[in-house]
Amino acid sequence: EGTVRIGTPDDVGTRILPQALGEFARSHSAVQVDVMTGASRVILERLDAGEIDLALVTAGNLDMHVERGEIVHTEPLVWVGRADGTARLRDPLPVALAEHGCAWRADAVNALDRAGRAYRVAYSSEYSAGQLAAVEADLAVAPLPRSLAKSSLLEIIDEPKMPALADTHVTLVIGAHCSEAGKALTQHVRAAFRALR
């Protein structure tokens, strides 16, 4: 019984969390689950304030909150463009980025700066769905987890001017006052990520 409050960025909340929540609902049908989506830094602030019980946050290799929790998933961060698009060929390179504070944004900007590649932020969104929309419209390319490069999108691997990106991680951070039901949900979350491997 009771309520479990979980915070997550939208990409995790729409791709991985549904499976974990479905399994949890079957084994803990009397528990209410509240899901809050937002930027990882905001989710962590809500966790620290006691507004949520556990958090799934995205992090780069150098983010401090990688050390705060348990890494439950790692995959390459890659440049994604529309399969038949021309955005990747434009100069300066138009990029679709998450808002400031996002690990994907920081890694992409640092890689472009190190490579000396001219770019402009053509589109900015708190949610990965906004970045995907910009890429699908061929307005820009975006740094996204490899698993999001599908359908009409492709990983840009044939463009020598595109700098390599680091891995991206999903970290599970459990709040100080997490309930037993919340701890049970973490087992389903871990299992959902293991199934992706």
Side-chain angles (χ1 to χ4, degrees):
E1 295 182 349
T3 301
V4 176
R5 301 161 303 165
I6 182 170
T8 178
D10 72 312
D11 66 292
V12 175
T14 57
R15 290 184 303 138
I16 296 120
L17 204 52
Q19 177 184 345
L21 293 178
E23 293 294 326
F24 182 73
R26 285 186 275 286
S27 62
H28 296 77
S29 59
V31 177
Q32 175 182 327
V33 179
D34 292 341
V35 179
M36 296 145 205
T37 60
S40 292
R41 64 178 169 68
V42 174
I43 294 295
L44 286 174
E45 289 168 5
R46 293 184 84 173
L47 182 76
D48 292 341
E51 297 172 13
I52 57 176
D53 303 303
L54 56 119
L56 288 166
V57 295
T58 54
N61 290 327
L62 301 177
D63 282 335
M64 289 174 44
H65 54 266
V66 167
E67 299 171 9
R68 260 187 88 174
E70 168 191 355
I71 295 175
V72 291
H73 182 67
T74 299
E75 70 178 289
L77 189 65
V78 299
W79 292 105
V80 176
R82 184 178 163 121
D84 60 352
T86 60
R88 70 182 182 276
L89 305 175
R90 295 184 199 130
D91 191 27
L93 180 71
V95 292
L97 299 175
E99 293 181 344
H100 288 281
C102 174
W104 303 349
R105 180 185 183 115
D107 188 43
V109 168
N110 289 338
L112 289 166
D113 287 343
R114 280 193 312 273
R117 177 76 192 260
Y119 67 93
R120 67 179 183 85
V121 178
Y123 192 93
S124 183
S125 173
E126 181 178 352
Y127 299 103
S128 62
Q131 291 174 272
L132 286 167
V135 172
E136 287 180 3
D138 198 31
L139 299 174
V141 299
L144 295 167
R146 180 175 280 154
S147 61
L148 291 178
K150 52 188 167 189
S151 184
S152 63
L153 308 180
L154 68 101
E155 177 183 350
I156 301 170
I157 54 175
D158 60 346
E159 179 58 46
K161 292 182 181 179
M162 299 300 292
L165 299 171
D167 286 342
T168 182
H169 310 284
V170 177
T171 304
L172 172 64
V173 185
I174 301 170
H177 303 291
C178 187
S179 66
E180 288 304 313
K183 291 174 184 170
L185 176 56
T186 66
Q187 298 306 316
H188 293 280
V189 167
R190 290 182 183 101
F193 281 107
R194 277 195 303 272
L196 293 177
R197 296 181 195 141

